[in-house]
């Protein structure tokens, strides 16, 4: 895969990137594949793509899982063609009290038309608190946080 990135990542011809695209969104439409191919080409240089792949294949964070001190939700496609399903389950098992949710999909990046996307939204909304970094009803200032789909991310012990 690294050689494919070296040879074709920055080229106008999407043939090399299509190999990666079909791993991320195998059930995507032709239009979605074209969009993702273009996104890959413009989001990083061929040299950086190669560096990312080298790191991706060498990195091992399994020893860090037990150190996570935040509520954790791990969602993973059951037939993910980019990252094996067992890797998602492993990650969830390494993190204390993590919740693992299998999603019925082949796509690594879920698409809005598939049922797994709706389930992902439901699970994330149910997992995250609904308050923001603003003052609560009695005027207590809450810690800053990041919001996604109108729900708060963050608030972990340090």
């Amino acid at each position: 895969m690294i050689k494919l990135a070296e040879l074709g990542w920055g080229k106008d011809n999407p043939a090399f990137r299509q190999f990666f695209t079909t791993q991320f969104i195998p059930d995507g439409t032709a239009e979605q594949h074209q969009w993702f191919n273009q996104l890959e080409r413009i989001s990083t240089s061929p040299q950086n793509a190669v560096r990312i792949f080298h790191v991706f294949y060498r990195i091992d964070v399994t020893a860090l899982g037990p150190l996570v001190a935040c509520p954790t939700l791990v969602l993973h496609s059951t037939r993910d063609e980019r990252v094996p399903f067992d890797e998602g389950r492993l990650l969830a098992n390494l993190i204390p009290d993590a919740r693992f949710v299998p999603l019925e999909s082949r796509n690594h990046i879920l698409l809005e038309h598939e049922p797994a996307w709706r389930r992902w939204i439901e699970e994330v909304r149910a997992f995250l608190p609904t308050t923001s970094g603003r003052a609560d009803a009695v005027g207590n200032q809450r810690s800053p946080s990041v919001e996604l789909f109108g729900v708060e991310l963050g608030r972990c012990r340090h």
Side-chain angles (χ1 to χ4, degrees):
M1 284 204 254
I2 292 171
K3 196 58 163 174
L4 284 175
E6 286 175 352
L7 293 173
W9 196 271
K11 306 261 191 291
D12 285 332
N13 181 337
F16 290 97
R17 291 183 310 279
Q18 184 63 32
F19 174 79
F20 301 105
T21 294
T22 55
Q23 290 182 336
F24 281 96
I25 50 172
D27 293 333
T29 64
E31 181 181 19
Q32 288 165 327
H33 282 197
Q34 182 180 16
W35 165 80
F36 198 75
N37 282 327
Q38 179 69 1
L39 179 66
E40 288 172 320
R41 187 177 72 76
I42 65 173
S43 63
T44 194
S45 68
Q47 296 81 10
N48 279 343
V50 168
R51 287 172 41 198
I52 289 166
F53 282 116
H54 277 293
V55 170
F56 180 76
Y57 292 121
R58 286 193 313 248
I59 196 165
D60 179 2
V61 297
T62 54
L64 299 175
L67 303 176
V68 175
C70 296
T72 304
L73 176 64
V74 177
L75 301 113
H76 200 102
S77 295
T78 57
R79 295 167 289 130
D80 191 324
E81 297 208 8
R82 179 69 185 138
V83 177
F85 180 71
D86 288 342
E87 293 294 315
R89 188 182 302 282
L90 171 65
L91 180 64
N93 286 333
L94 291 171
I95 299 171
D97 301 317
R99 180 158 184 263
F100 181 70
V101 178
L103 300 169
E104 232 4 87
S105 178
R106 290 189 328 148
N107 296 313
H108 183 73
I109 298 174
L110 298 176
L111 303 171
E112 67 181 8
H113 70 274
E114 61 183 320
W117 170 249
R118 286 186 291 285
R119 173 119 192 256
W120 187 93
I121 294 290
E122 290 167 5
E123 293 289 344
V124 169
R125 283 187 171 151
F127 176 75
L128 296 173
T130 56
T131 60
S132 69
R134 295 178 218 102
D136 65 15
V138 293
N140 296 321
Q141 186 63 32
R142 300 194 179 273
S143 62
S145 62
V146 176
E147 287 191 17
L148 175 69
F149 304 112
V151 292
E152 180 180 308
L153 306 178
R155 301 228 192 182
C156 297
R157 306 183 265 141
H158 299 288

